[in-house]
Each structure stands twice: as C-alpha cells, then as structure tokens.
C-alpha cells in the first residue's frame, strides 16, 4: 500500500532505497518449472497444468475456427507438413502444442530456425573431438574404448523420425529466418522419412547396431547400419512470418494454413482463455487502444495480454506516461 492506502504495484522505485519486495505471481505464459507453460500467442495451447485440490487443471483450449481445424486434419491424414503463416501472435507456434496435447502425442520437439541453421544439425550432431579425447583417456587407463553412440546426438528433426508406434510432433519455428536453400534441403528428408549417419554407416558389420542419444534427455534410439527411418511420419508444423517466399517444390509438399488476425470478439475470447472471465472487466479502454494501434502498425496478440495482465494487477496502463507505448510498441522498423 502507498501512503494513501491504495495498492501499489511498483516493485522498483529507482530511489536507491533497498526494500525486501515479494514477487507477484507471473503471467501464465511466463511460469517456469514443472510442466509446460502456456504460450501467449493466439490462445492457450494444451500443456498448462496448474495443480489444484482435485488434481491437474484442465488446459485452456486452443481457439481455432472449424475451417482451420479441417486444414490441420488434412495435413494429418496426408502425412504432410503443415505450413502455418499469419501475423505475429495469431497462434502459429501454439498450434503444434495444441495438436500434441489433444492427440496425446507427448512433448513437442522444437527446431527454432535461424540464419545458421542446417538440416544436418537438425538431424544429428557428432562430437568427433569429444570421442577422440575420451578414446585417448581410456587407452591411457587401459580401458575399453567408449561406444561411438555416446557421441552422436539426434537433433529435433532426427528425433522426430525415430521409429515408434505413434508419431511425434515437430515444430519447425520461423523457417523463413533460415538460409534460402534450407527449404529445398528439407525436401528429401520429408519425402523419404529417413536419413543416414555416415559416421555410423562406415562401421564394421559387428557394430552395425548402435544406440545413440536423442533430443530428449535420457532417451536413446537404435540406429541400424547407419540409417534411421520413421514408422509413422511425424506431425510437422512449420511456421513462417511471411518474411520471404518459399520455392514451389517445397510448397507443393506442404499443406498451407493461413491464420487470420484476431478480431475484437476473438481477442476477448483469448483474454478469457488465458486470464479468466474477470480479466474482461474494465478492459474496453485497453482493447480499443490496442485495436486503434494495430490498425496503424503491426502488433501481436500477446502484447494485449501483457497489458491486460498488468491492468489486472493494479497497474493503470492507460494512465501512466509512456507505459502503454512500452507495452504496445510497434514490432517493425528500427528500435
């Protein structure tokens, strides 16, 4: 409380006076630790589990129109990658988690693409230097050489192709940030559903079966004669912010899904899904400010969620000088 008896949301005052301040609860999408946190774009994906007296809470639903869900189902039936495009904050990345949750396919394997990403790294990594060092040490101690499988770790794409009874979900996030040749490099893997690890393929026949590490901690996969082929093609969700075009050969092998920018009704539903019905109280002014600013420049849905969360915590975002601009800042251009 401040001297006037009003709730005070300020944790930092900038006056140099030390105070013991207790941190308030974090937004649902910024909670770390046990369980997968909800992501703030589009809607809550499956996976947010808040313990209660009756057990884990039911995850908030992923808000998607029936016609868009039909496109997802088409990709699932055809075993084709789903290429998801749309403005920031429309729920592109969350869709992969929603599919994994509803279909009970386990943890999502995520490949965040950047300008240095290669298909090779996404498939596997071989620590040749580490193996050489460990081999020298074991020889000096008179011990058996370490198994090569301990120095091969499958990446997210390679792990997604590990044979199993049910498919795994792979999120290829922001493919348009990768090298221009990256989509074409993926074509063979997506078409064949298999890849080779040359370092293992060259081993003698008595070492034709090797256990390698995977992207998931504590999990190993069996590689025979240096090749690994999936039994069920993984559920591949590829997101793109539309920063550049993809080659026709790549697009032909994908199912396209364009997620629309949420309108006012959808924004209210998203706020409710993340923060509950109470968050809609006195939100009209914030929502109007968000819609006006979004009409003139690019904004993301999670920016509105940030503003509503601060408002619910007692912070008058619309009254504080510069605060609304800091939260609803434009996404494009120089900073």
């Amino acid at each position: 409380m401040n001297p006037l008896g009003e709730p005070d949301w300020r944790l930092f005052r900038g006056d140099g006076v030390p105070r013991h301040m207790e941190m308030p609860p974090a937004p649902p999408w910024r909670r770390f630790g046990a369980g997968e946190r909800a992501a703030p774009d589009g809607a809550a994906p499956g996976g947010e589990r808040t313990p209660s007296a009756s057990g884990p809470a039911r995850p908030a639903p992923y808000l998607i129109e029936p016609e868009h869900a039909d496109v997802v189902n088409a990709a699932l039936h055809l075993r084709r990658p789903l290429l998801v495009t749309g403005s920031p904050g429309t729920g592109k990345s969350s869709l992969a988690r929603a599919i994994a949750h509803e279909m009970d396919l386990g943890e999502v394997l995520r490949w965040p693409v950047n300008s240095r990403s290669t298909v090779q790294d996404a498939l596997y990594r071989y620590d040749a230097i580490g193996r050489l060092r460990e081999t020298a040490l074991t020889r000096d101690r008179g011990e058996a050489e370490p198994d090569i499988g301990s120095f091969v770790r499958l990446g997210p794409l390679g792990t997604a192709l590990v044979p199993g009874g049910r498919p795994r979900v792979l999120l290829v996030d922001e493919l348009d940030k990768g090298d221009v040749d990256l989509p074409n490099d993926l074509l063979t893997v997506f078409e064949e559903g298999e890849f080779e690890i040359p370092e293992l393929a060259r081993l003698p026949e008595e070492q034709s079966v090797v256990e390698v590490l995977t992207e998931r901690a504590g999990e190993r996969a069996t590689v025979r004669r240096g090749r690994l082929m999936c039994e069920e093609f993984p559920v591949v969700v590829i997101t793109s912010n539309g920063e550049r075009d993809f080659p026709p050969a790549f697009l032909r092998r994908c199912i396209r899904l364009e997620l629309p920018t949420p309108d006012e009704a959808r924004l209210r539903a998203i706020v409710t899904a993340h923060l509950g019905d109470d968050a809609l109280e006195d939100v009209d002014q914030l929502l109007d400010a968000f819609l006006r600013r979004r009409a003139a420049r690019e904004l993301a849905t999670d920016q509105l969620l940030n503003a509503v969360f601060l408002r619910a915590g007692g912070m008058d975002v619309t009254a504080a000088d510069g605060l609304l601009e800091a939260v609803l800042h434009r996404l494009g251009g120089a900073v």
Side-chain angles (χ1 to χ4, degrees), residues 48-50 55-61 101:
E48 175 68 5
R49 304 186 181 274
T50 304
R58 180 180 178 83
H101 169 71

Side-chain angles (χ1 to χ4, degrees), residues 27-157:
W29 52 89
R30 293 298 296 168
R31 293 172 188 169
F32 301 87
E36 184 181 351
R37 62 188 182 276
D41 54 348
E48 175 68 5
R49 304 186 181 274
T50 304
S52 64
S54 59
R58 180 180 178 83
Y62 181 86
L63 305 183
I64 185 170
E65 295 295 338
E67 60 266 27
H68 300 141
D70 288 344
V71 176
V72 175
N73 282 294
L76 294 173
H77 280 279
L78 294 171
R79 271 59 168 191
R80 288 292 188 182
L82 181 68
L83 177 59
V84 188
T85 57
S87 302
T90 51
K92 299 188 296 294
S93 299
S94 298
L95 179 55
R97 291 185 284 268
I99 295 171
H101 169 71
E102 286 196 19
M103 296 182 64
D104 193 25
L105 295 178
E107 180 185 357
V108 174
L109 296 162
R110 183 170 179 264
W111 177 22
V113 176
N114 57 51
S115 60
R116 300 177 302 277
S117 297
T118 65
V119 173
Q120 166 77 33
D121 289 337
L123 288 172
Y124 78 96
R125 297 176 295 278
Y126 172 54
D127 185 4
I129 296 177
R131 185 189 179 201
L132 183 62
R133 181 175 58 248
E134 288 298 316
T135 299
L137 290 174
T138 53
R139 285 176 178 173
D140 291 342
R141 294 192 297 261
E143 301 172 356
E145 294 185 7
D147 180 60
I148 187 175
S150 300
F151 302 94
V152 177
R153 181 179 295 276
L154 302 181
L157 176 56

Side-chain angles (χ1 to χ4, degrees), residues 6-27:
E6 300 171 341
D8 197 338
W9 49 266
R10 292 179 175 84
L11 304 173
F12 170 75
R13 298 178 183 276
D15 57 9
V17 179
R19 301 176 182 87
H20 180 76
M21 305 296 291
E22 293 293 337
M23 292 294 291

Side-chain angles (χ1 to χ4, degrees), residues 176-317:
D176 48 348
K177 293 189 180 300
D179 183 80
V180 66
D181 292 326
L182 187 58
N184 281 329
D185 293 340
L186 283 168
L187 290 181
T188 301
V189 178
F190 284 162
E191 283 297 293
E192 303 297 333
E194 67 174 342
F195 67 98
E196 182 183 72
I197 302 177
E199 292 84 357
L200 303 184
R202 292 192 293 263
L203 295 175
E205 182 64 26
E206 60 270 18
Q207 299 180 42
S208 60
V209 178
V210 180
E211 297 286 325
V212 302
L213 305 172
T214 75
E215 183 80 359
R216 292 174 173 169
E219 181 184 75
R220 285 181 172 264
T222 301
V223 179
R224 291 178 170 81
R225 293 180 174 84
R227 300 198 69 83
L228 196 150
M229 174 183 288
C230 66
E231 292 178 2
E232 274 285 349
F233 188 76
V235 177
V236 181
V237 177
I238 303 171
T239 71
S240 168
N241 289 324
E243 296 182 1
R244 64 176 176 82
D245 296 331
F246 294 123
F250 176 79
L251 294 176
R252 181 170 62 84
R253 290 165 171 83
C254 296
I255 302 298
R256 298 283 300 275
L257 173 61
E258 173 76 23
L259 292 179
T261 301
D263 58 14
E264 181 176 347
R266 176 54 61 89
L267 289 172
R268 290 180 181 274
I270 291 172
V271 170
T272 301
H274 279 282
L275 300 173
D277 293 328
D278 294 343
L280 289 178
E281 296 180 5
D282 301 324
V283 79
D284 292 347
Q285 186 178 4
L286 264 182
L287 187 56
D288 289 343
F290 176 82
L291 291 171
R292 286 196 310 271
R293 289 166 179 256
R294 194 181 68 178
R297 63 196 188 189
E298 189 176 39
L299 292 179
T301 305
D302 60 331
Q303 292 176 281
L304 173 63
L305 289 172
N306 290 337
V308 174
F309 179 82
L310 293 175
R311 178 69 172 268
M315 187 182 301
D316 192 350
V317 180

